[in-house]
Structure formats: C-alpha cells, structure tokens
Amino acid sequence: MQALTGRGTYVFPSIRSASRPMSENTINGALRRLGYSGDEMTAHGFRSTASSLLNESGKWNPDAIERALSHREANQVRAAYHRSIYWPERVQMAQWWSDHLDMLRQGGEVVRFPKTASV
C-alpha cells in the first residue's frame, strides 16, 4: 500500500491531518453520496460484516479477529503485552478476506436477505 499511499501511518488518513485516521463520518458521507441510506449501510457495518463472516468461517481465532478489527483489549496490562501476538494469523486472515471479496466480485453467490420490520 505504501506505493499507492506513501509512507504515512494510515492507509486512509484524515483530510485534516495525516497523523489521524479518516473518520467514520467521512466514510458514512461517501456511502450517502453513493446512494446508501443509513438503514442500508454504515461505516461500522463493514466491521460488523467482516466480524460475522470471519467468525462464522471457523478458520480464525476470535482474539485474532478482534485484533484485526482494532477492537481494544479492555485490560490495559494485557493490551500492552499482546500487540502482535496474532500477527501471522492476521496476515493469513487478511489474505483470506481479500480472496473472499475477489470471489464475490467475480460473480460468487451473493445471498440477499429480506428486509425485516423495524423493532
């Protein structure tokens, strides 16, 4: 990605400061401009979808999935010592996810779920 985005800390930096990541509101705004309503898709929805599919695959350690999605460890001591413990698995998981998305783009089966009534 560095060849495309430079040597910054973030692949998607904030438009205001390269020292901060792009905000969730930027992504939500892009989704609205693409025609998706807030009931159809949100920035956090991408993380939820990835978490669901990665967990349902049964291929990955749930802790590795949480690390990959940047969910923070509640225990600060544990977080300090577990920064990269799942790195090799996270790399494999990212490749699997990329391959999965490529398969969908190339005509893989997409299952549409009926809309449910609001609760």
Side-chain angles (χ1 to χ4, degrees), residues 8-56:
T9 302
Y10 299 103
V11 174
F12 300 107
S14 167
I15 195 169
R16 291 181 176 79
S17 169
S19 65
R20 296 181 50 97
M22 178 187 292
S23 79
E24 182 176 334
N25 289 331
T26 300
I27 298 168
N28 285 334
L31 288 167
R32 298 304 148 303
R33 287 189 294 281
L34 288 169
Y36 293 95
S37 73
D39 291 335
E40 293 176 301
M41 191 60 180
T42 64
H44 197 266
F46 288 115
R47 294 167 71 128
S48 177
T49 298
S51 176
S52 295
L53 292 174
L54 291 166
N55 278 294
E56 287 175 1

Side-chain angles (χ1 to χ4, degrees), residues 45-104:
F46 288 115
R47 294 167 71 128
S48 177
T49 298
S51 176
S52 295
L53 292 174
L54 291 166
N55 278 294
E56 287 175 1
S57 77
K59 297 178 179 291
W60 316 108
N61 180 319
D63 289 336
I65 294 169
E66 293 302 304
R67 290 278 69 108
L69 295 173
S70 296
H71 291 157
R72 291 191 170 84
E73 170 66 48
N75 181 318
Q76 295 298 315
V77 174
R78 180 180 156 112
Y81 291 100
H82 286 81
R83 293 181 190 187
S84 63
I85 192 167
Y86 299 108
W87 187 251
E89 185 173 6
R90 289 171 57 190
V91 170
Q92 291 175 344
M93 185 173 18
Q95 185 61 59
W96 180 87
W97 182 248
S98 175
D99 293 344
H100 179 72
L101 295 178
D102 284 344
M103 182 268 306
L104 291 175

